[in-house]
Amino acid sequence: MPECLKKSLFSPFCNSSIFRIVYVIVLSFEMIAFCDTFALACRCVVLVWGAFILIRNFIINRNAFKVKYKWILWAFILMGIFTSIWNLSIDFLPNMAFIYHSIICFFVFYGMYTEKEHKKIEFEMAFLLKYFIVFSTITSFIGILVALFKAQVSISGYYIGILRSRLIGIHTNSNLLALSNIISIISCDIINDKYIKGKFKSKLFSVPVLIISCIINFVSLFLSDSNASFLFIVIYSIVRFFYVLFSNYKETRISYIAKGSIFLVGFCILVVLGSFSLRDFFQNGISVIINDIHKIEEPIVDNDNEVIIINPNESSNREEISIGRENYDISSGRITLLKQGIKLFMVNPWIGIGRGNLVRFGEKYLENGLVFSDLHNGYLTILVSYGLLGFGIFMAFSFLTAFDMCSYLFKANLRCDSGVFSKLFSVCVAYCAYSLFEKTLLSEITFMVVFFWLILGYTISYMNNGYKYLK
């Protein structure tokens, strides 16, 4: 086989950017009902490909040793390996799988700027942002249609439409639907930036189209009734407003700071109150529309996960659908998980118990085991899994990286791409708050986790590129 033909055939398999795009798309389909099992099988294959990318592009070419704060990252990896060996059990292989995935996140995603030109990374980012918009808008629209015309459909163990007074759509979980909506809305905001529009012109993603997409995703977000995702979009909006408000000041004056602070507080109050009011409006409005469109003749699962059988001949006694949880635990069981996590942390506070051991140790040390199969808190999961030492190492990396991004934020306010960086920065800040309530950050092999490291990688790439021109 000619050498040039070999290169053309194998070059895609050596391309980190293609790997990231394929991996993110595969993970996104794990969130969709009926596609999740097939996507899981594909994910396993793609992760094997990831090992080749990691070894060839980052270990052999030493890009893994060019990443900023690399020794902190390697220290965390070694800590994770030590914890897995110390807590050696039948869950050793799952523990090592979590560590391997952490390495992928650290270097192939966060460390992407060491391997590619920034222009190519921008192209990759624009492509994936457009994909997020299309993916979420289509799946959310289908989910809303199912909810409107069928209320709830049960097929092969999957529920689509409305589940437990929340829109689940065609996703496997209401929280995943809400996260998909948030990502799509944020992607619309970034794609609409004048810098991105100037470099990647597209009639398909015109302003009217983006507005329609945002409306569909906001409606879906409100109906999903996810508090954590709601917090995500609120904090993203506040951080964005903060940057716009203060970045235009060429000098620091007490009057400017006081005036800006008043505006910021007012904006925060307006966003919080307005968003809650809109959510209630859409939840009540859609509930009325659904009940008016059709008579509920299908079995509907209620808040207690019990099936209510509706007799179509007893129209006066029909149970009406309501969207939005009433009189429920606002923490959704997370306070219980926090208490359970603290108990598991005390089992081995210094080096942790290993991420793969969570369920088994829960059965051993907790009465009736863990409420869920995870702790629904990214920070708590790292603390319990890798102890104070591992958590301290990870937080050291987090604080140093956050300090770098904050330092660059206002230095680059005159650059043409400053708007893109500020939006990516806002996503990172909002995600860190979101991680207090979801299984995110690191110790999961899911779209939720990979999305954070993908955005962090793009943010660092913009910062690294910007510093080249600021010096």
Side-chain angles (χ1 to χ4, degrees), residues 33 143-144 146-148 150-155 157-177 222-226 283 290 299-308 321-326:
I144 293 171
V146 172
L148 285 173
K150 292 297 292 182
Q152 184 184 91
V153 180
S154 177
I155 305 174
Y158 290 99
Y159 283 105
I160 61 175
I162 297 172
L163 181 65
R164 301 172 193 171
S165 299
R166 300 173 65 187
L167 178 69
I168 192 173
I170 60 172
H171 285 66
T172 57
N173 184 284
S174 294
N175 293 330
L176 294 177
L177 167 62
F222 292 145
L223 300 181
S224 70
D225 202 35
S226 171
Q283 288 178 351
I290 290 175
I300 300 298
V301 178
D302 71 355
N303 285 329
D304 298 320
N305 203 23
E306 296 179 354
V307 175
I308 303 172
I321 290 178
S322 64
I323 299 178
R325 297 168 288 181
E326 296 180 359

Side-chain angles (χ1 to χ4, degrees), residues 62-77 106-107 110 397:
R62 301 191 63 81
N63 284 313
F65 301 96
K66 298 175 184 177
V67 174
K68 197 169 186 180
Y69 307 123
K70 54 188 174 295
W71 300 119
I72 297 178
L73 296 176
W74 282 113
F76 181 85
I77 293 164
F106 288 160
F107 301 116
Y110 162 73
F397 165 77

Side-chain angles (χ1 to χ4, degrees), residues 164-397:
R164 301 172 193 171
S165 299
R166 300 173 65 187
L167 178 69
I168 192 173
I170 60 172
H171 285 66
T172 57
N173 184 284
S174 294
N175 293 330
L176 294 177
L177 167 62
L179 177 65
S180 180
N181 297 145
I182 293 295
I183 292 173
S184 180
I185 293 165
I186 290 169
S187 297
C188 288
D189 189 27
I190 299 174
I191 284 293
N192 195 45
D193 188 272
K194 60 181 180 181
Y195 173 78
I196 295 295
K197 287 196 296 185
K199 296 194 73 172
F200 305 99
K201 294 180 180 179
S202 175
K203 293 182 179 179
L204 179 62
F205 296 91
S206 61
V207 173
V209 172
L210 295 179
I211 291 173
I212 293 171
S213 174
C214 283
I215 291 172
I216 293 172
N217 281 282
F218 264 117
V219 171
S220 179
L221 172 64
F222 292 145
L223 300 181
S224 70
D225 202 35
S226 171
N227 292 323
S229 296
F230 209 57
L231 177 69
F232 194 136
I233 195 64
V234 167
I235 293 180
Y236 174 79
S237 302
I238 291 171
V239 176
R240 285 275 293 111
F241 183 78
F242 171 83
Y243 175 77
V244 172
L245 192 63
F246 288 98
S247 64
N248 293 324
Y249 292 151
K250 296 180 180 179
E251 55 182 320
T252 304
R253 291 183 182 178
I254 296 178
S255 59
Y256 289 164
I257 296 175
K259 182 180 177 181
S261 299
I262 292 171
F263 276 116
L264 182 62
V265 171
F267 179 79
C268 294
I269 295 172
L270 181 65
V271 167
V272 173
L273 295 180
S275 55
F276 274 101
S277 298
L278 278 174
R279 184 167 76 169
D280 291 341
F281 172 78
F282 277 105
Q283 288 178 351
N284 296 331
I286 295 296
S287 297
V288 171
I289 293 172
I290 290 175
N291 288 307
D292 285 344
I293 284 179
H294 60 83
K295 305 301 181 183
I296 304 171
E297 300 177 1
E298 302 93 353
I300 300 298
V301 178
D302 71 355
N303 285 329
D304 298 320
N305 203 23
E306 296 179 354
V307 175
I308 303 172
I309 304 298
I310 305 299
N311 187 340
N313 296 320
E314 298 176 358
S315 58
S316 59
N317 297 321
R318 287 191 183 100
E319 185 77 16
E320 289 195 347
I321 290 178
S322 64
I323 299 178
R325 297 168 288 181
E326 296 180 359
N327 301 320
Y328 66 98
D329 175 14
I330 194 169
S331 71
S332 301
R334 285 171 175 80
I335 293 177
T336 302
L337 282 172
L338 177 62
K339 295 176 181 177
Q340 291 186 325
I342 292 172
K343 289 181 180 179
L344 289 178
F345 165 71
M346 296 308 296
V347 172
N348 203 336
W350 288 105
I351 64 171
I353 63 175
R355 172 61 184 88
N357 295 329
L358 272 181
V359 174
R360 192 172 62 83
F361 273 55
E363 294 172 351
K364 183 177 180 181
Y365 294 100
L366 302 173
E367 186 178 354
N368 300 321
L370 279 172
V371 178
F372 298 101
S373 59
D374 55 81
L375 298 173
H376 269 63
N377 183 318
Y379 304 99
L380 183 62
T381 302
I382 294 173
L383 179 63
V384 173
S385 300
Y386 304 111
L388 285 171
L389 293 176
F391 183 77
I393 293 170
F394 182 80
M395 292 310 294
F397 165 77

